[in-house]
Amino acid sequence: MSAPEPPEAPVAPSAPDEAGRAIEEVLLGGRRVRTRQDIAERAGVAPERTVEIWHALGFPEVDDDARAFTDADAEALRAGERLIAAGLITEASETLMARALGHHLSRLAEWQVHTLWVWMNRDAGAPPGAAALAEHAAALLPEMELLQRHVWRRHLAAYAERMLVDAEEAARAGNPPRPAEGKGGTEPSREAAGVRERAVGFTDMVGYTRLTRGLDNAELVRVLDRFESLTGDTVAEGGGQVVKTIGDEVLFVCDTAGAAADIALELTARAEAEQGLPQVRSGLAHGAVLSRFGDVYGATVNVAARLTAVARPGTVLVDTAFAGELAGAAAYTLRALRPVSVRGYSRLRPVLLRAARQRAGGRAA
């Protein structure tokens, strides 16, 4: 039996006024009228579990007796419980999933609210009130949800197709899951654990800190927008995947070293041809990469980052494993450089990568 409907009562002390509640009702699909105990009972989970999930999503502490939750919060918790019951996830992985969702979607939500607010303030005069914000949000929310759902499903389809191709290639190569020693079941492959051989690349803008000191906010936004557009378009065109952009730096991955090399060289050429955009430099590495909740980890990622830090403007450095993947390819020239000492690696051996058509003159990185 579900809990009875609670009477109208003040919500958390920091909650918005009546106008603000109207906006929340539009965005949350109902008012915040339930306590933590209410949603725990409705979802069939322990109250301490709701605290863990709430924090993982990135939301601040809420008093146990504050009416800070909606029926939709309880339904979301029930959905997680159904996934656990089906065996798809565990409690631990649900928390990790919540953390990843909260991290990525909070950034998207911040951008969307900021965009709406700027649009509403485009005309001179008094700022729009809560009623106007609620009206616009109600009109635009279905459109935004439609777009997000469509893009999400397109990415699901793309990853599902890629996983099926990988599985078929592994089967043809005779690499099915291996029986685990001393156990009755099977040991998951590295691919099943999220580990694959991949090429990893970092590209950053040279002199970004110095550049920002001489730009106003509007000019800085223009530079960042152009950098993100240039890197995003180039990586997508080259068949790679942008993992994340952090200020002046982009992290991307590719299935092959050749694709990553082409992307890095193209990024260098496009940045040099772009007016008002600094030169870029790139570091590439190849090896085992752990993919986890939309991010990538491992020594290969670390090496690519270290190579970027020591690369000179307008150059691309790769590690020896990456160079080995390109050995014999006529499209590139590779030149081993002196070992360097960087954080975590006392003798990292960079290799300078150039397109074969590029003249070999000029200063090495």
Side-chain angles (χ1 to χ4, degrees), residues 158-173 175 191 195-198 255:
Y159 280 107
E161 181 179 2
R162 185 179 304 170
M163 187 167 292
L164 289 172
V165 170
D166 290 344
E168 291 174 0
E169 291 178 351
R172 285 196 296 270
N175 295 320
E191 288 74 15
V195 178
R196 294 174 53 198
E197 296 288 320
R198 307 187 81 177
D255 290 336

Side-chain angles (χ1 to χ4, degrees), residues 5-290:
E5 291 296 323
E8 287 292 329
V11 292
S14 60
D17 57 17
E18 191 63 31
R21 291 187 201 178
I23 298 173
E24 283 196 338
E25 190 167 357
V26 169
L27 297 177
L28 299 180
R31 290 193 174 186
R32 302 190 297 172
V33 295
R34 298 203 176 275
T35 66
R36 183 180 305 283
Q37 187 65 38
D38 290 335
I39 64 166
E41 291 177 356
R42 292 171 73 87
V45 301
E48 55 270 22
R49 180 64 179 156
T50 71
V51 175
E52 185 177 1
I53 296 296
W54 185 251
H55 288 171
L57 288 170
F59 297 117
E61 187 71 34
V62 174
D63 292 339
D64 288 343
D65 58 351
R67 298 197 183 281
F69 304 97
T70 70
D71 289 339
D73 291 311
E75 182 55 38
L77 283 170
R78 278 198 292 266
E81 289 301 300
R82 290 193 291 268
L83 293 177
I84 293 174
L88 182 64
I89 61 175
T90 65
E91 280 198 3
S93 63
E94 182 190 29
T95 303
L96 295 173
M97 180 178 65
R99 186 170 292 114
L101 284 172
H103 173 71
H104 293 292
L105 294 182
S106 66
R107 297 173 63 189
L108 178 62
E110 180 183 16
W111 173 81
Q112 289 171 333
V113 171
H114 175 74
T115 300
L116 177 59
W117 188 251
V118 169
W119 176 73
M120 292 176 62
N121 283 274
R122 67 195 185 281
D123 298 323
L133 181 59
E135 180 183 354
H136 286 301
L140 296 175
L141 186 62
E143 305 299 336
M144 296 166 74
E145 287 183 324
L146 187 153
L147 286 172
Q148 289 171 195
R149 184 172 63 251
H150 173 72
V151 174
W152 173 62
R153 285 179 176 270
R154 291 293 302 185
H155 279 293
L156 283 177
Y159 280 107
E161 181 179 2
R162 185 179 304 170
M163 187 167 292
L164 289 172
V165 170
D166 290 344
E168 291 174 0
E169 291 178 351
R172 285 196 296 270
N175 295 320
R178 302 187 307 274
E181 294 184 8
K183 301 178 183 179
T186 60
E187 181 182 90
S189 65
R190 294 204 312 168
E191 288 74 15
V195 178
R196 294 174 53 198
E197 296 288 320
R198 307 187 81 177
V200 177
F202 279 92
T203 297
D204 70 9
M205 289 188 283
V206 179
Y208 172 78
T209 302
R210 183 175 63 254
L211 172 70
T212 57
R213 289 199 291 265
L215 298 178
D216 60 27
N217 289 338
E219 292 171 328
L220 178 58
V221 167
R222 185 193 62 78
V223 169
L224 292 175
D225 285 349
R226 187 65 200 117
F227 177 70
E228 290 188 9
S229 295
L230 184 148
T231 54
D233 291 347
T234 305
V235 172
E237 290 168 11
Q241 172 199 349
V242 172
V243 177
K244 56 187 173 183
T245 301
I246 308 171
D248 63 329
E249 185 174 60
V250 63
L251 165 60
F252 63 92
V253 293
C254 296
D255 290 336
T256 66
D262 291 342
I263 288 171
L265 293 169
E266 184 65 18
L267 282 172
T268 302
R270 292 188 183 185
E272 289 179 348
E274 185 78 21
Q275 289 289 339
L277 197 65
Q279 284 185 295
V280 300
R281 57 183 180 175
S282 299
L284 307 174
H286 189 276
V289 176
L290 170 63

